[in-house]
Amino acid sequence: MKKLITALLGSAVAIAAAPASAATLDDVKSKGYVQCGVSTGLAGFSAPDDSGDWTGLDVDYCRAVAAAIFDDPDAVRFTALTAKERFTALQSGEVDILSRNTTWTISRDTALGLNFAGVTYYDGQGFMINAKKLQGINSALQLSGAAVCVQSGTTTELNLADYFKANNMEYNPVVFEKLEEVNAAYDSGRCDVYTTDQSGLYAIRLTLANPDDHVVLPEIISKEPLGPVVRHGDDQWFDIAKWVYFAMLNAEEYGITQDNLDEMLKSDNPNISRMLGTEEGSKLAADLGLEEDWVVRIIRHVGNYGEIFERNVGAESPLKINRGINALWTKGGIQYGPPIR
Amino acid sequence: MATQDSVAEGREAPRVPLLYDPKLRSIAYQVIVFVGLFAFVYWIVGNTVANLQRANIASGFGFLQSRAGFDIGQSMIEYTSDSTYGRALLVGLLNTLLVAVLGIATATVIGFIVGVGRLSKNWLINRICLVYVEVFRNIPPLLVIFFWYFGVLSVLPGPRDSIELPFNTYLNGRGFYFPKFLWGEGSGLIVIAFLLALVFAFFVRRWAYKRQEATGQQFPVFLTSLGLIVGLPLLAFVLTGMPLEFSYPELSTFNLRGGMQVKPEFLSLYLALSFYTAAFIAEIVRAGVLGVSHGQTEASFALGLRPRQALRLVIVPQALRIIIPPLTSQYLNLTKNSSLAIAIGYPDLVATGGTALNQTGQAIEIVAIWLVVYLGLSLMTSAFMNWFNARMALVER
């Protein structure tokens, strides 16, 4: 009987169904919108605003993809995913693109069958404590014996284990699946320490009952390059995901903004006219599978990288995070868009 | 019936067209269903394998051997972030079993008390039990868990302002703390004494039963056994020089340290499951007791049994026959409901498996493990309860 089953399964594998159609772009065009996976609510990156519209850096990236394809930043539908659900949702095709403060690691790139399209935000993991309750603690190295709140299924959870082990410290993990649950547990005093990416800590601090009581400790214990993700097996879609982002970086580099876009369209700088699709006979957009004015659409509807950064997490936002290493390479940062040519 | 037989022999079996032959038809239906089922499974497996290969996603159970890298808050066995995924799942399974077994025991006790209370002639007890049953039976279990976690345990003070209870035990928002027993040299003797006492008690019981059968004289079996089981280990304890120390919980920078800690995640899940399931068990018990005909009570009184004896020897054994089968499904429900643990961060099988799923991305394998484990637990519970039911069943002579 066992042999029989094995044989049956074997034959099932052998005549495995023909691979399903891999052209995500065609699917997206035919349904008329991009399905984008975002977080369940992280201020500055992806969170619904007062009127229920999604806003944030990760959200704006998805809107840029929609703008490039449909010339409409609202041709996108958002699926809120927990850290645990996100990869399965992308693998199974429930979402076309995952833009959900997700850290780029080798195992996700390989074993999970995913492709990272770039790094929209260079982050690092930090710790937050209630300074009012825990006076005298100003370094993560003093945290031995603490109860630490952390979201399950994140690189954060793994870095936390590694950091405490490397420093011979004990801790007590309090693990939840949803961000809101972690926030509630930390706010109610179930744990002493909250750990996640530093940008996240600043965002979460704003939502706590008394934000001023909490401080983010100086240590950064990991590299967390966050970026949009697509699944393996569709190179064209992967290219679009990459170059929408690189276009936003290049636009910032050449000073193309939402405000001066119309002037820039008349520019005779070959780099700018090539990017904006005004160069005669250019096949760049067609090779990517998009219309000639795809960059114009992105900038008009969403803006360049600098604009979406400042609007969502930078000086113009409640988070007030410095550009830091997320500045362009020409300004002392490491954000670097490969040339569009 | 000879005449009828001869008539039947004398007549030929009626010819039935193949299409209407019931035997052939039933075989044909079964073959069709089997082929359909097989084709369906074949299609599912083929589709899955093709899609996994296309997306270049790793598969197989090899990941169980690799390093997990994450820590687990509560573990009954040795576990660190260096342990394997397999061990992480085992920790989760043991946590599930812990809460299920303790929950079943507690729910049964509360359920029996409340169920009998519902039958009480005392108006107050009767109404209290009625309110209890109606409240807990009509709330989804997840809300009961949230009630205990967010409503009761998380509003307790922080570790610095712990509530002090007798015997060096403390209660705060991080859980319940009590002194840990540290057994010294010679404490093995106490265990041996306890086991000896159990054996003695067993023989005393047998001897007393035989004597009652033969002479009709009764013997205080319960008190003697209790004396043996408590007395012998106590004697051993004193003789070995009291080899027992305590580790008391004390305040450190962050938490109470030392002693034993019962975490609020476990506590709220355990209490919620117990109280929730107990409401159903109470109704089953009530139905069981009411199901025994009143004539049985009257008959046992007529035989001269006292009310307690009548309950113990006549009513309960018969009520159990009605109670046990539905009780089994309540036990299964409790075990399965324990997977709601994920909402409050108790590291049960679903929670640890979920983390492993996310780190490795091997959804199909992990989900298969979940299915097999819960199915196995349910089948084992059913098998045990069926055995118990068969033992309790009325033996007809």
Side-chain angles (χ1 to χ4, degrees):
Chain A
M1 189 63 196
K2 214 172 177 184
K3 263 186 186 164
L4 178 72
I5 290 172
T6 323
L8 292 179
L9 284 179
S11 56
V13 174
I15 324 169
S21 83
T24 313
L25 181 62
D26 295 340
D27 292 348
V28 165
K29 276 182 176 164
S30 69
K31 67 185 175 187
Y33 58 88
V34 180
Q35 192 77 44
C36 171
V38 291
S39 77
T40 52
L42 178 64
F45 289 86
S46 45
D49 65 9
D50 296 340
S51 52
D53 295 325
W54 284 90
T55 59
L57 190 73
D58 290 339
V59 166
D60 276 349
Y61 168 78
C62 281
R63 293 196 188 281
V65 175
I69 300 171
F70 298 110
D71 198 13
D72 177 8
D74 295 321
V76 53
R77 294 193 188 172
F78 295 100
T79 307
L81 299 168
T82 68
K84 221 174 91 175
E85 296 160 351
R86 55 185 164 180
F87 299 125
T88 317
L90 181 62
Q91 287 165 344
S92 64
E94 196 186 318
V95 296
D96 302 313
I97 197 159
L98 180 72
S99 180
R100 193 209 167 279
N101 50 295
T102 300
T103 306
W104 189 349
T105 68
I106 186 172
S107 60
R108 289 173 177 177
D109 219 336
T110 55
L112 261 59
L114 306 176
N115 277 328
F116 282 78
V119 180
T120 49
Y121 190 96
Y122 287 97
D123 211 340
Q125 183 176 346
F127 296 103
M128 175 163 68
I129 59 163
N130 186 332
K132 211 172 175 188
K133 274 194 210 158
L134 298 167
Q135 278 165 2
I137 292 197
N138 44 33
S139 158
L141 293 169
Q142 291 168 290
L143 294 179
S144 188
V148 183
C149 273
V150 63
Q151 199 180 2
S152 77
T154 54
T155 49
T156 312
E157 199 183 1
L158 304 178
N159 295 330
L160 173 70
D162 291 351
Y163 181 77
F164 275 79
K165 186 171 181 247
N167 289 296
N168 271 324
M169 301 194 297
E170 291 169 27
Y171 74 107
N172 181 353
V174 183
V175 185
F176 294 92
E177 196 185 353
K178 291 209 178 81
L179 198 66
E180 307 88 82
E181 288 163 354
V182 195
N183 295 353
Y186 175 72
D187 220 4
S188 75
R190 172 64 187 92
C191 26
D192 308 291
V193 185
Y194 194 135
T195 184
T196 186
D197 300 340
Q198 266 202 340
S199 63
L201 289 178
Y202 285 111
I204 289 153
R205 196 167 70 129
L206 294 177
T207 66
L208 298 175
N210 299 306
D212 296 337
D213 292 353
H214 302 269
V215 294
V216 176
L217 296 175
E219 282 87 352
I220 289 186
I221 66 166
S222 70
K223 292 184 284 188
E224 306 286 341
L226 312 180
V229 199
V230 296
R231 46 183 175 270
H232 273 183
D234 185 351
D235 289 344
Q236 184 195 29
W237 186 244
F238 182 32
D239 287 342
I240 291 173
K242 275 188 293 197
W243 287 96
V244 164
Y245 177 57
F246 293 149
M248 288 196 285
L249 285 178
N250 279 305
E252 190 190 2
E253 194 177 331
Y254 289 109
I256 310 171
T257 65
Q258 271 177 309
D259 291 336
N260 68 10
L261 181 64
D262 290 329
E263 292 159 40
M264 284 292 180
L265 279 168
K266 293 171 207 144
S267 163
D268 48 11
N269 179 334
N271 283 318
I272 293 176
S273 59
R274 193 185 311 118
M275 201 190 323
L276 297 182
T278 48
E279 189 183 87
E280 285 294 313
S282 166
K283 279 184 70 226
L284 295 177
D287 290 341
L288 193 57
L290 297 174
E291 302 294 322
E292 266 183 357
D293 61 343
W294 63 286
V295 182
V296 178
R297 294 171 172 186
I298 295 172
I299 305 302
R300 178 170 295 134
H301 295 299
V302 184
N304 68 32
Y305 178 72
E307 286 176 302
I308 67 169
F309 188 98
E310 297 302 344
R311 185 165 70 221
N312 291 306
V313 295
E316 296 164 29
S317 74
L319 292 175
K320 309 227 177 315
I321 298 174
N322 275 330
R323 278 298 282 273
I325 54 170
N326 286 298
L328 288 183
W329 64 289
T330 48
K331 294 187 182 146
I334 54 176
Q335 287 289 5
Y336 185 108
I340 295 186
R341 71 180 312 136
Chain B
M1 296 294 153
T3 49
Q4 274 189 3
D5 280 349
S6 59
V7 169
E9 276 166 20
R11 210 167 51 190
E12 261 183 53
R15 265 174 208 273
V16 184
L18 279 183
L19 194 60
Y20 297 107
D21 186 346
K23 206 170 178 185
L24 213 66
R25 268 195 156 192
S26 69
I27 290 175
Y29 284 139
Q30 289 186 44
V31 167
I32 290 169
V33 168
F34 180 78
V35 168
L37 189 71
F38 176 75
F40 181 69
V41 171
Y42 172 87
W43 175 72
I44 292 261
V45 170
N47 195 18
T48 308
V49 169
N51 278 310
L52 284 179
Q53 277 175 346
R54 185 167 59 85
N56 204 6
I57 295 171
S59 54
F61 287 91
F63 74 95
L64 289 175
Q65 303 295 325
S66 44
R67 180 179 182 271
F70 61 92
D71 282 300
I72 296 177
Q74 178 184 330
S75 170
M76 292 205 285
I77 53 174
E78 183 93 2
Y79 176 86
T80 67
S81 58
D82 288 331
S83 307
T84 60
Y85 282 117
R87 200 163 176 88
L89 290 174
L90 184 64
V91 168
L93 172 61
L94 289 175
N95 283 340
T96 294
L97 284 177
L98 178 72
V99 81
V101 169
L102 288 180
I104 284 174
T106 315
T108 310
V109 172
I110 301 175
F112 268 81
I113 292 171
V114 175
V116 171
R118 282 275 270 130
L119 297 167
S120 167
K121 289 198 179 73
N122 182 321
W123 187 85
L124 191 62
I125 294 177
N126 190 324
R127 291 295 122 166
I128 289 176
C129 292
L130 174 74
V131 169
Y132 171 87
V133 168
E134 292 307 332
V135 166
F136 278 93
R137 204 165 59 149
N138 293 308
I139 300 178
L142 186 62
L143 290 189
V144 184
I145 295 174
F146 280 151
F147 165 74
W148 281 104
Y149 191 62
F150 292 112
V152 179
L153 293 169
S154 73
V155 294
L156 290 171
R160 274 149 214 261
D161 319 300
S162 302
I163 303 169
E164 276 187 54
L165 301 170
F167 306 111
N168 285 57
T169 56
Y170 300 89
L171 192 63
N172 63 37
R174 305 278 170 83
F176 178 64
Y177 292 77
F178 55 91
K180 193 176 178 175
F181 298 92
L182 297 174
W183 292 100
E185 234 173 281
S187 48
L189 266 182
I190 300 169
V191 179
I192 295 171
F194 176 70
L195 292 177
L196 266 180
L198 280 185
V199 174
F200 270 132
F202 177 73
F203 281 111
V204 166
R205 198 182 110 111
R206 246 178 57 165
W207 168 80
Y209 186 75
K210 273 190 184 156
R211 197 177 71 146
Q212 190 181 354
E213 291 272 280
T215 66
Q217 282 177 307
Q218 290 192 334
F219 185 80
V221 178
F222 178 72
L223 286 178
T224 320
S225 309
L226 192 72
L228 273 173
I229 290 168
V230 174
L232 267 185
L234 206 66
L235 193 70
F237 178 60
V238 174
L239 285 182
T240 49
M242 306 201 199
L244 175 63
E245 281 177 44
F246 293 101
S247 146
Y248 295 108
E250 276 164 26
L251 190 63
S252 72
T253 328
F254 295 104
N255 283 315
L256 293 174
R257 283 199 154 176
M260 297 282 280
Q261 179 195 12
V262 181
K263 298 204 167 133
E265 286 81 31
F266 170 77
L267 219 51
S268 33
L269 182 67
Y270 159 65
L271 291 174
L273 290 179
S274 305
F275 278 83
Y276 175 76
T277 314
F280 291 91
I281 294 179
E283 284 301 274
I284 293 171
V285 168
R286 189 170 72 102
V289 173
L290 287 179
V292 178
S293 105
H294 193 59
Q296 296 285 326
T297 322
E298 287 169 346
S300 48
F301 286 162
L303 283 172
L305 293 180
R306 298 202 190 102
R308 274 190 58 180
Q309 285 178 317
L311 194 70
R312 192 166 65 85
L313 298 171
V314 179
I315 313 293
V316 169
Q318 296 188 70
L320 273 181
R321 283 170 30 223
I322 308 172
I323 292 172
I324 291 170
L327 201 58
T328 311
S329 55
Q330 290 307 324
Y331 288 174
L332 298 181
N333 276 345
L334 190 145
T335 310
K336 287 181 288 182
N337 282 342
S338 74
S339 61
L340 292 171
I342 193 152
I344 52 162
Y346 176 70
D348 76 330
L349 181 69
V350 175
T352 53
T355 307
L357 185 160
N358 196 22
Q359 307 291 12
T360 60
Q362 300 195 289
I364 294 171
E365 291 81 356
I366 303 256
V367 172
I369 291 175
W370 281 338
L371 293 180
V372 168
V373 167
Y374 279 102
L375 182 68
L377 286 181
S378 295
L379 289 180
M380 279 193 291
T381 313
S382 296
F384 173 77
M385 292 302 282
N386 284 345
W387 167 82
F388 188 59
N389 193 29
R391 248 187 79 109
M392 283 294 154
L394 190 64
V395 183
E396 293 185 3
R397 297 194 176 103

